[in-house]
Amino acid sequence: MFRKVTYLLLVFIGTVTCTLSLISPALALEAGDIVMQARPAGQEIELVPGEVVEGSVTVANIGRLPFNFMTSVRPYQVLNEAYDPDFVTENDYTKLANWITFAQTEYHLEAGEEVEVEFTIEVPEGVPGGGQYAALMFATSDSKDADATMQTISQLASIIYAHVEGEEHIGGVVVTQNLPSFLLGSPFSSTVTVKNDGNVDFRFEHTLEIRDFFTNREVFTPDAVDLDDQPLGTANLVVLPTTSRTSTLTWDGAPQLGVFRAVSHVTFLGEDSVKEQIVFICPVWLAGIVVFFVVLMILWIILRIRKHKQNRPQVV
């Protein structure tokens, strides 16, 4: 049984160093010549020990030139709370990579063509319940110039989030939930970190709502989007077992001066954590002027006290 989800993870592997990093939804070696796309970028699969499950990923050539590509499987974990991908580390949650085989490992695609890459998961008997994670990799080393002295290996990943039937431990906790209280020209951001204490992944939703303190008018809502219709006020993220994940929502259009009421919501596993904060925004130059006058006032008070003491009659 397959359930398509909206996880997005596309990976580019550069020449020589083969460094992994996130890029745009379509991967190109050179401006539109060789462009490979895989969908879905991630999927959830329910597994039962001893059973065989079949699935597929669609790989498309949306560029102008034909290319060959190869398939492979790697473990999938993350390196940090920012969730930079790790396709090397092996642990109890990456055994899935050993259970996956492809019906075919080499393919050719003409421009505009696509192919269903079929794979099979053979789940061993007696494996423990919980989450298992692997990356289906699709790589091409073709370039526009076949005689080039250096070629780039371009690679995409489609992530498998598998749940093995059996004993599951589901639990998590909000490690941090921060809102600013005073800003001097810095971004207006809400940051939360959620830790997964269980043995299977779960998702959490992080939202940010901001209202003008004096008028109660909404100035930033969970429905806010950017020019590309990407969400700004809401994040819906997966957390792998034994890892922590950080989400940051930023109000880029915040004014330089104002007082606002901000509310941060974090929802996961039926729990809702709420933090509310009054936020003062002040430009640096205005804060400098205020500090200057405060210092002057303190000096004036000190001088007045000293003068008062000097003018006090002496008692003989």
Side-chain angles (χ1 to χ4, degrees):
M1 174 182 179
F2 295 86
R3 294 178 295 173
K4 295 185 178 179
V5 294
T6 57
Y7 305 124
L8 294 178
L9 182 59
L10 301 179
V11 179
F12 168 81
I13 297 185
T15 307
V16 183
T17 60
C18 293
T19 300
L20 297 174
S21 61
L22 296 179
I23 63 166
S24 59
L27 181 88
L29 295 179
E30 293 183 11
D33 288 332
I34 296 180
V35 187
M36 180 167 55
Q37 186 180 68
R39 62 181 190 273
Q43 55 186 303
E44 291 182 349
I45 302 179
E46 303 300 325
L47 301 178
V48 177
E51 290 192 355
V52 176
V53 176
E54 296 183 349
S56 66
V57 174
T58 301
V59 178
N61 181 350
I62 59 175
R64 292 188 291 267
L65 299 177
F67 59 80
N68 299 305
F69 73 92
M70 299 184 64
T71 64
S72 63
V73 185
R74 293 185 184 178
Y76 173 61
Q77 286 292 287
V78 294
L79 296 173
N80 46 43
E81 292 181 354
Y83 261 51
D84 293 327
D86 176 2
F87 300 110
V88 177
T89 299
E90 297 182 8
N91 56 33
D92 289 341
Y93 298 103
T94 63
K95 297 183 184 299
L96 175 63
N98 301 319
W99 308 342
I100 298 177
T101 57
F102 289 99
Q104 187 176 332
T105 58
E106 296 185 20
Y107 294 85
H108 176 81
L109 284 178
E110 295 291 329
E113 287 185 346
E114 63 181 36
V115 64
E116 291 291 320
V117 177
E118 298 178 346
F119 63 89
T120 300
I121 304 176
E122 296 186 27
V123 188
E125 293 278 3
V127 297
Q132 287 290 330
Y133 310 96
L136 307 181
M137 313 299 290
F138 310 104
T140 176
S141 59
D142 291 351
S143 65
K144 183 176 181 180
D145 184 0
D147 298 325
T149 57
M150 182 178 294
Q151 290 185 328
T152 300
I153 298 175
S154 306
Q155 191 158 271
L156 297 180
S158 178
I159 307 303
I160 302 296
Y161 299 83
H163 306 144
V164 181
E165 184 181 86
E167 186 175 356
E168 291 186 350
H169 305 285
I170 303 176
V173 62
V174 177
V175 179
T176 60
Q177 186 172 5
N178 297 325
L179 280 170
S181 57
F182 191 78
L183 295 174
L184 291 175
S186 55
F188 194 135
S189 297
S190 167
T191 302
V192 301
T193 300
V194 176
K195 181 181 180 181
N196 186 337
D197 294 323
N199 68 350
V200 67
D201 60 275
F202 64 79
R203 299 182 70 84
F204 75 89
E205 184 179 65
H206 174 205
T207 64
L208 177 62
E209 179 184 0
I210 304 172
R211 292 178 177 270
D212 185 281
F213 179 79
F214 300 105
T215 66
N216 202 38
R217 178 178 61 89
E218 282 189 325
V219 294
F220 188 83
T221 71
D223 298 326
V225 296
D226 61 16
L227 296 177
D228 297 322
D229 289 330
Q230 297 301 310
L232 294 174
T234 301
N236 198 306
L237 304 173
V238 64
V239 192
L240 300 181
T242 69
T243 71
S244 297
R245 186 162 193 176
T246 297
S247 169
T248 301
L249 300 176
T250 301
W251 180 24
D252 290 325
Q256 292 189 351
L257 181 64
V259 183
F260 302 91
R261 178 182 288 108
V263 181
S264 167
H265 283 266
V266 183
T267 305
F268 65 95
L269 301 178
E271 301 291 334
D272 187 19
S273 176
V274 181
K275 181 170 184 178
E276 185 171 343
Q277 181 71 49
I278 303 300
V279 185
F280 297 86
I281 302 179
C282 180
V284 176
W285 62 266
L286 181 57
I289 292 176
V290 172
V291 171
F292 175 75
F293 278 104
V294 169
V295 171
L296 284 182
M297 181 63 67
I298 293 173
L299 292 175
W300 181 80
I301 293 173
I302 292 173
L303 292 175
R304 286 294 299 256
I305 293 173
R306 287 183 176 179
K307 185 176 181 180
H308 178 72
K309 288 181 178 180
Q310 291 174 354
N311 294 334
R312 183 182 302 171
Q314 298 295 320
V315 178
V316 178

